[in-house]
């Protein structure tokens, strides 16, 4: 970070000075209208603004709280320590922490040289960044869910990015723009945040294991979601390309984590859908085979009989009206 901007961020605010002088309690009225269980966007965001940045207040322990806005913390210098669900999350220079509104956390006292920058944003700020993600996969959906509050579960993602100059420059430009209230750069900031998200999605190896979902879990969830939704045309080569993994490495990970190889998982999904069609519809067996990804009808028949020990027609007769599908 440019030294001039860093020195500006290090300036001690009147609030921080009160903590330096012995006040050990957060000045609650700066953050909420009643109590501090939830930090209120109306206390921190100017009316009409979608986003702002605010240096994290140093010299005091910040008590447990949630937010009614999206919070992204970026560490410009030193370190910041969060406590989330009993877990210590230590952020160092360059790290980015994304938190949804359900995350309840506290922050340990920071010293003079510990500079954390809080991005305080409304969901509308992320409309352009989310459009830039384009690809629909579980990795993108995880970020979308975090920012748009699709779930009621606490989710956070921590990225260790020290030395990644492209992201550092983007974050620095956004911080400077918002600190000095450059309204003419508001749209540019949305595109800059989109570029940050694109980098994070392309380099998930930077995702910390202390996130609510680690890199390995996200890869596995991507594979399972892909099989669930695209079972007809799914193939391992395509998903390996999307995850920037070799086919052999990804295949080994799938087998290790699930006990099945990709083809076995895909076949289980396809035949699970096939018996659902047999029981719940009047589609012909030939139509069902094609719908679940099998152009070779004789192969479909052989595999079906091997799995269920009867023909598709007999399965339909025996299980018509069943509430439970036998996979």
């Amino acid at each position: 970070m440019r030294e001039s901007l860093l020195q500006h961020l290090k300036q001690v605010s009147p609030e921080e000075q009160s903590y330096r002088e012995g006040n050990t309690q957060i000045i609650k009225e700066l953050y909420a209208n009643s109590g501090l269980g939830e930090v209120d966007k109306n206390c921190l965001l100017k009316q009409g603004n979608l986003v702002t940045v605010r240096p994290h207040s140093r010299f005091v322990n910040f008590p447990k709280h949630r937010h009614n806005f999206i919070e992204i913390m970026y560490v410009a210098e030193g370190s910041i320590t969060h406590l989330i669900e009993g877990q210590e999350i230590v952020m160092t220079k360059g790290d980015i922490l994304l938190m949804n509104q359900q995350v309840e956390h506290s922050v340990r006292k920071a010293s003079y040289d510990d500079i954390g920058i809080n991005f305080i944003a409304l969901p509308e700020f992320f409309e352009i960044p989310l459009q830039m993600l384009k690809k629909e996969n579980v990795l993108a959906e995880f970020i979308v869910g975090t920012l748009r509050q699709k779930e009621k579960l606490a989710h956070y993602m921590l990225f260790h990015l020290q030395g990644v100059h492209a992201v550092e420059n983007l974050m620095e430009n956004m911080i400077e723009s918002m600190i000095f209230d450059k309204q003419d750069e508001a749209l540019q900031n949305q595109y800059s945040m989109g570029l940050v998200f694109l980098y994070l999605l392309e380099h998930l190896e930077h995702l910390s294991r202390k996130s609510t979902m680690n890199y390995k879990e996200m890869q596995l969830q991507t594979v399972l979601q892909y099989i669930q939704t695209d079972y007809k045309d799914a193939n391992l080569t395509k998903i390996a390309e999307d995850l920037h993994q070799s086919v052999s490495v990804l295949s080994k990970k799938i087998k290790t984590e699930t006990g099945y190889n990709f083809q076995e998982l895909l076949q289980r999904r396809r035949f699970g859908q096939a018996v659902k069609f047999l029981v719940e519809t009047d589609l012909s067996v030939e139509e069902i085979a094609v719908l679940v990804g099998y152009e070779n009808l004789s192969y479909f028949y052989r595999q079906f009989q091997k799995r269920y020990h009867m023909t598709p027609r007999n399965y339909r007769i025996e299980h018509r009206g069943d509430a439970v599908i036998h996979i």
Side-chain angles (χ1 to χ4, degrees):
M1 178 170 282
R2 289 189 297 274
E3 188 61 28
S4 58
L5 178 57
L6 187 59
Q7 289 306 314
H8 180 83
L9 296 172
K10 283 186 174 182
Q11 291 178 14
V12 177
S13 68
E15 177 199 0
E16 291 177 317
Q17 186 59 36
S18 77
Y19 304 140
R20 268 186 155 184
E21 292 172 356
N23 180 10
T24 61
Q25 301 296 317
I26 282 289
I27 303 173
K28 294 180 180 180
E29 55 267 28
L30 295 176
Y31 299 94
N33 293 317
S34 60
L36 199 58
E38 182 176 84
V39 176
D40 188 1
K41 61 190 176 188
N42 295 317
C43 294
L44 303 175
L45 261 176
K46 289 182 181 178
Q47 189 170 7
N49 284 8
L50 298 180
V51 65
T52 191
V53 292
R54 187 180 192 279
H56 173 71
S57 295
R58 298 161 292 178
F59 317 119
V60 68
N61 289 312
F62 209 107
K64 190 181 292 186
H65 63 284
R66 290 191 177 92
H67 320 94
N68 61 6
F69 52 87
I70 309 300
E71 182 176 59
I72 299 175
M73 177 176 272
Y74 174 74
V75 177
E77 191 78 7
S79 66
I80 302 290
T81 300
H82 296 254
L83 291 174
I84 305 178
E85 297 178 349
Q87 182 169 223
E88 186 175 86
I89 307 293
V90 180
M91 300 180 66
T92 56
K93 182 179 179 180
D95 288 357
I96 294 176
L97 177 64
L98 308 177
M99 292 179 283
N100 73 5
Q101 296 169 358
Q102 308 305 322
V103 172
E104 188 174 57
H105 69 125
S106 57
V107 189
R108 286 190 175 151
K109 184 190 297 187
S111 67
Y112 176 79
D113 291 315
D114 297 325
I115 308 299
I117 306 299
N118 289 313
F119 284 75
I120 297 152
L122 301 181
E124 294 88 336
F125 172 75
F126 298 99
E127 287 302 320
I128 287 175
L130 292 178
Q131 289 171 18
M132 292 171 67
L133 296 183
K134 293 181 181 178
K135 286 185 180 179
E136 291 185 6
N137 57 54
V138 72
L139 308 180
E141 281 298 312
F142 184 84
I143 290 181
V144 170
T146 298
L147 298 177
R148 288 183 170 171
Q149 304 303 300
K150 288 185 173 182
E151 300 182 41
K152 296 300 181 183
L153 299 174
H155 281 311
Y156 60 92
M157 301 175 75
L158 172 63
F159 292 89
H160 295 303
L161 297 165
Q162 186 168 9
V164 181
H165 299 301
V167 173
E168 182 180 339
N169 290 336
L170 288 165
M171 298 301 284
E172 182 178 324
N173 290 339
M174 286 189 286
I175 290 166
E176 183 175 45
S177 171
M178 295 178 206
I179 283 286
F180 296 109
D181 201 21
K182 299 178 181 178
Q183 292 297 324
D184 59 327
E185 295 182 5
L187 186 61
Q188 179 180 318
N189 289 331
Q190 289 180 283
Y191 281 104
S192 293
M193 187 62 78
L195 291 173
V196 170
F197 286 171
L198 285 171
Y199 181 90
L200 298 181
L201 285 176
E202 292 296 316
H203 296 276
L204 282 161
E205 67 272 15
H206 293 301
L207 182 66
S208 169
R209 292 183 179 181
K210 289 193 173 182
S211 301
T212 45
M213 186 182 290
N214 66 36
Y215 183 40
K216 185 188 293 184
E217 289 172 332
M218 292 185 79
Q219 285 187 319
L220 180 59
Q221 288 301 314
T222 300
V223 172
L224 296 178
Q225 183 66 30
Y226 175 59
I227 290 172
Q228 182 70 21
T229 57
D230 297 330
Y231 56 85
K232 180 181 178 182
D233 302 307
N235 69 80
L236 187 57
T237 301
K238 180 182 183 302
I239 192 64
E241 289 174 356
D242 288 346
L243 290 171
H244 306 283
Q245 292 278 312
S246 71
V247 171
S248 61
V249 169
L250 184 58
S251 179
K252 185 176 179 180
K253 285 182 180 179
I254 293 168
K255 179 70 173 180
T256 300
E257 294 299 316
T258 68
Y260 299 96
N261 63 37
F262 179 84
Q263 201 59 38
E264 288 168 336
L265 289 172
L266 179 59
Q267 198 168 79
R268 285 168 64 88
R269 172 63 178 133
R270 284 176 168 176
F271 280 101
Q273 190 62 41
V275 298
K276 185 178 176 66
F277 284 144
L278 284 169
V279 171
E280 296 181 357
T281 76
D282 293 319
L283 293 169
S284 69
V285 174
E286 291 80 2
E287 289 172 319
I288 290 171
V290 171
L291 281 174
V292 299
Y294 293 107
E295 297 287 343
N296 186 326
L297 191 59
S298 61
Y299 178 81
F300 175 80
Y301 270 99
R302 286 198 308 274
Q303 291 300 317
F304 192 98
Q305 192 139 2
K306 181 179 178 181
R307 182 176 291 270
Y308 299 107
H309 309 293
M310 64 181 75
T311 65
R313 180 176 180 277
N314 287 340
Y315 187 99
R316 169 172 269 166
I317 292 169
E318 185 170 327
H319 294 287
R320 175 71 82 178
D322 278 5
V324 178
I325 302 299
H326 304 274
I327 297 176

